[in-house]
């Protein structure tokens, strides 16, 4: 059986598409897991998106905690004789999958970009060495756990005529000795850098949060309106929300034009922009690494370059 | 407070070139270092020790030359190092089992610290997997840690939210790059580290008959070719040329 779980509904749809393909190849069934309150609407949606069955683990656990969720999944896996476990590769999913792998003592591959059977063995590809290579990994034991990020697989077309069973079961867990004291929603700006066609990206070369408007103005004339940033801008300085963050630990982007301003071009940033069409770099340091990863570069102070570039592009585009 | 830091030796990914004839990354002959965020884990361990006293042990599963890297962590402030040489065949399962067994052998511990992810493989798997093997609570992506006598409170960076979590001991914590600024040891500290012990623990002595569950069957290089045209003329001229070229490429608007 192929088990599919994510706390993100859209991501679960995407996993179900791969899950049903793998389960067909194996001649087995795919099962989507819901943890928490029973939700028939959601369960039926999962079936419409390709799940053969839905397993609802009814628990008193009120919010996500890796320790407790891993225990729940462990019980389900053991009870159902699961061979493949697909988990959404967001932050919750990664720590859940890894902990589950420890508890079940099985192999786990994080962040798969492709999954298939090769010589009847479960095989997956993932990006390693900051984007310099793709490793092809093969399981030689069962079950196997794999995590997949959003947008790696396309969901199946929703089909409300698909049929499936919904199994509900109460599952008790041991209370973890860790406790969530506070959850603070950071405001996101609803930016979607992953689908953006043109991105102007800001790094630590900017001296203050207000100055980002220089990049905004350029993005505006480019009709891109999408601003990205390096990790320090989002994670250290918190000048921008996490949805702008591009790189190995942030979002992977593939715009037709990527303009990196005041970004040094460390490999972890480059890992997020390798699939871009044209890369432009603006940096005052002629030796900055970013120029090695750029198609076009201007050596100069961004405070001088950006306004001029904005004006020149405005002129050109009429 | 007994603190264990799991630190990995990695190749510096920024030095990797792709062999154009085989299309494989060249991993030999490039510099090795302690995975960046493991130094943040080390720094956090020192801060906790400064507050409560105790002992810091660094554990590495790695090749023999990792000893030199462990010395850097001893210079920063670790008290003792343990090097478990990689078995002939290893994967995440083998490494995490060895780390968990080593931690059990150390015995008395309050906090195990890991990086949020290693810079070469970037899975973020080892921390939570070891916590699962040891069946202890885990706190991932900690961007601040406040260790008190009987419990620890950490703020976790979960992207669109920040989650404050409390746990009793023992606990496994993975830290982010933002949690602190790792110190650079002084010359005296570097010299002093030479007298600190690094123990060799064999894989066999910790867990016999370990077999990988996953095998890497291929490693394909991904090269990125770029034009690398850098304008160094007067700014107005440079911008003129750039805009012309972008228009030609058809990427404006
Ligand atoms: C495991 C791991 C994961 C990571 N993940 C990511 C990630 O996902 N994304 C990411 O971005 N980073 C990531 N990093 C961090 C990365 O290594 C770099 O530290 C980071 O990208 C640097 O950000 P920066 O270029 O904005 O800042 P800096 O490196 O400080 O560079 C600032 C640049 O601005 C230039 N500059 C300064 N003033 C001006 C001016 N007036 N005009 C023009 N140029 C100017 C400087 O010459 C310099 O090149 C990660 C690191 C690790 C270890
Ligand atoms: N071989 C190793 N030896 C010691 N610690 C390791 C090893 N591999 C990974 N770790 C720890 O686990 C963290 C996450 O690694 P990874 O799962 O590879 O992303 C690292 O930051 C280290 O703290």
């Amino acid at each position: 059986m192929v088990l599919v779980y994510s706390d993100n509904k859209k991501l679960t749809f995407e996993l179900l598409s791969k899950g049903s393909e793998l389960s067909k190849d194996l001649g087995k069934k795919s099962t989507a897991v819901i943890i928490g309150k029973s939700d028939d609407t959601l369960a039926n949606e999962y079936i419409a998106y390709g799940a053969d069955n839905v397993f609802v683990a009814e628990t008193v656990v009120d919010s996500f905690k890796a320790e407790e969720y891993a225990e729940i999944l462990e019980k389900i896996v053991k009870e159902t004789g699961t061979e493949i476990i697909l988990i959404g590769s967001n932050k919750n999913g990664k720590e859940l999958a890894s902990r589950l792998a420890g508890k079940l003592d099985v192999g786990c591959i994080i962040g798969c970009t492709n999954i298939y059977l090769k010589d009847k063995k479960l095989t997956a590809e993932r990006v390693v060495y900051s984007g310099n290579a793709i490793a092809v990994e093969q399981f030689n034991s069962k079950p196997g756990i794999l995590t997949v990020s959003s947008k790696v697989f396309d969901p199946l077309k929703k089909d409300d005529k698909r049929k499936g069973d919904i199994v509900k079961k109460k599952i008790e867990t041991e209370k973890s000795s860790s406790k969530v004291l506070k959850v603070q929603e950071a405001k996101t700006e609803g930016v979607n850098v992953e689908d953006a066609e043109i991105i102007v990206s800001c790094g630590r070369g900017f001296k203050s949060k207000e100055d980002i408007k220089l990049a905004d103005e350029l993005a505006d004339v480019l009709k891109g309106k999408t601003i990205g940033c390096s990790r320090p801008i989002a994670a250290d300085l918190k000048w921008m929300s996490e949805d702008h963050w591009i790189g190995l630990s942030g979002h992977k982007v593939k715009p037709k034009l990527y303009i990196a301003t005041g970004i040094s071009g460390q490999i972890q940033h480059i890992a997020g922009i390798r699939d871009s069409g044209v890369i432009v770099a603006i940096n005052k340091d002629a030796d900055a690494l970013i120029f090695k990863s750029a198609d076009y570069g201007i050596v100069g102070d961004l405070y001088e370059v950006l306004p001029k570039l904005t004006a020149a592009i405005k002129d050109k585009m009429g | 407070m007994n603190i264990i830091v799991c630190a990995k030796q990695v190749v510096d990914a920024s030095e990797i070139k792709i062999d154009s004839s085989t299309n494989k990354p060249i991993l030999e002959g490039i510099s090795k270092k302690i995975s960046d965020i493991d130094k943040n884990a080390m720094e956090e361990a020192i801060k906790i020790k400064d507050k409560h006293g105790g002992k810091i042990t660094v554990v590495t599963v790695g090749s023999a030359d990792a000893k030199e890297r462990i010395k850097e962590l001893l210079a920063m402030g670790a008290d003792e190092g343990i090097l478990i040489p990689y078995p002939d065949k290893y994967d995440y399962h083998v490494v995490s089992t060895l780390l968990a067994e080593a931690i059990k052998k150390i015995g008395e511990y309050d906090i195990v610290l890991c990086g949020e992810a290693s810079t070469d493989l970037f899975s973020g798997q080892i921390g939570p997997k070891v916590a699962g093997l040891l069946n202890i609570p885990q706190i991932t992506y900690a961007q601040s840690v406040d260790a008190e006598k009987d419990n620890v409170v950490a703020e976790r960076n979960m992207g669109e939210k920040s989650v404050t979590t409390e746990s009793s001991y023992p606990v496994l914590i993975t830290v982010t790059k933002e949690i602190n600024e790792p110190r650079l040891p002084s010359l005296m500290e570097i010299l002093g580290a030479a007298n600190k012990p690094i123990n060799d623990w064999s894989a066999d002595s910790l867990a016999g008959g370990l077999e990988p569950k996953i095998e890497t069957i291929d490693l394909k290089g991904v090269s990125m070719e770029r034009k690398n045209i850098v304008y160094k003329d007067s700014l107005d001229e440079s911008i003129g040329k750039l805009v012309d070229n972008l228009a030609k490429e058809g990427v404006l608007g």
Side-chain angles (χ1 to χ4, degrees), chain A residues 202-207 229-233 245-252 261-270 272 282-285 288-290 300-303, chain B residues 35-37 116-119 122 177-178:
Chain A
C202 310
R204 261 209 313 233
F206 284 81
K207 293 191 185 79
C229 68
S230 65
R231 176 165 176 154
I233 299 292
W245 171 348
I246 292 168
L248 181 64
S249 50
H251 299 275
K252 312 269 175 301
T261 43
I263 291 179
S264 58
Q266 298 292 320
I267 187 153
Q268 292 91 5
H269 187 78
I270 305 303
I282 300 166
N283 197 302
K284 69 174 182 189
D285 174 6
L289 275 175
I290 188 77
D301 186 330
L302 70 91
Y303 287 89
Chain B
S35 184
D36 303 51
I37 303 182
E116 73 169 82
S118 59
T119 43
F122 203 75
K177 185 174 162 358
E178 286 73 31

Side-chain angles (χ1 to χ4, degrees), chain A residues 66-67 91-92 94-96 98-99 101-103 105-110 116 118 121 123 125-141 174 176-188 198 222-223 231-232 235-236 238 242 245 248-249 256-257 259 267-268 270 273-280 286 291-301 304-305 308-309 312-313 316-317, chain B residues 11-18 25 27 33 36-37 91-93 97 116 118-133 135-141 143 153 155-168 170 176-178 212-233 235-236 238-240 242-247 249-253:
Chain A
E67 294 93 323
K91 280 185 164 174
N92 283 348
K94 282 194 268 191
E95 67 159 331
L96 171 64
S98 307
R99 186 176 180 97
K103 290 179 80 73
D105 213 8
V106 303
C108 172
I109 303 177
I110 299 288
Y116 44 88
K118 188 179 181 211
K121 284 186 177 171
T123 309
E125 296 181 5
R126 72 182 298 261
V127 175
V128 292
Y129 301 117
S130 278
N132 278 312
I134 291 172
V136 184
E137 317 255 24
Q138 193 161 57
F139 285 85
N140 52 27
S141 74
E174 217 173 287
S176 156
S177 53
S178 77
K179 197 160 72 205
V180 175
L181 300 181
K182 195 171 81 185
V183 177
Q184 204 167 357
E185 300 285 338
K187 55 168 195 337
T188 62
I198 296 180
L222 284 167
K223 316 231 170 357
R231 176 165 176 154
D236 274 313
K238 303 206 187 316
E242 176 274 338
W245 171 348
L248 181 64
S249 50
K256 60 179 187 185
L257 175 61
I259 304 182
I267 187 153
Q268 292 91 5
I270 305 303
I273 65 170
R274 296 175 73 104
D275 298 333
S276 301
V278 174
I279 297 179
V280 175
F291 292 121
K292 293 210 171 86
S293 305
D295 294 291
Y296 302 101
I298 292 187
V299 179
D301 186 330
E304 243 183 284
V305 179
K308 287 196 168 178
L309 183 58
I313 289 178
K316 186 87 182 178
M317 294 173 62
Chain B
V11 292
D12 187 343
S14 65
E15 290 183 14
I16 295 177
K17 302 256 181 318
I18 310 301
L27 300 172
K33 58 176 186 177
D36 303 51
I37 303 182
D91 67 345
Y92 269 107
H93 165 71
T97 307
E116 73 169 82
S118 59
T119 43
D120 55 349
L121 299 184
F122 203 75
S123 292
Q125 178 173 165
I126 293 285
K129 191 161 182 184
V130 168
L133 286 165
N135 205 20
I136 60 172
Q138 68 194 44
I139 298 179
T140 51
Y141 301 103
Q143 56 182 0
V153 175
E155 206 183 301
R156 307 172 57 216
N157 180 351
M158 296 305 283
E160 70 281 16
K161 49 184 184 256
S162 157
V163 178
T164 311
T165 301
E166 180 193 74
S167 174
S168 56
T176 67
K177 185 174 162 358
E178 286 73 31
K213 304 217 181 249
I214 292 169
E215 187 189 346
T216 303
I217 55 172
D218 196 8
L219 198 56
K220 300 185 270 201
V222 183
S223 45
M224 184 173 74
E225 299 297 329
R226 293 286 166 187
K227 294 198 179 75
N228 304 125
I229 300 169
V230 180
Y231 301 109
K232 293 169 184 147
D233 317 314
L235 191 52
D236 290 324
S238 297
I239 287 180
L242 172 63
V243 174
D244 283 346
N245 271 318
L246 293 181
E249 299 249 17
V251 293
L252 293 182

Side-chain angles (χ1 to χ4, degrees), chain B residues 175-194:
Chain B
V175 306
T176 67
K177 185 174 162 358
E178 286 73 31
I179 192 168
N180 56 39
E181 195 58 56
R183 69 194 60 196
L184 291 172
S186 67
L187 186 60
M188 282 304 287
E189 287 166 325
I190 294 171
L191 294 173

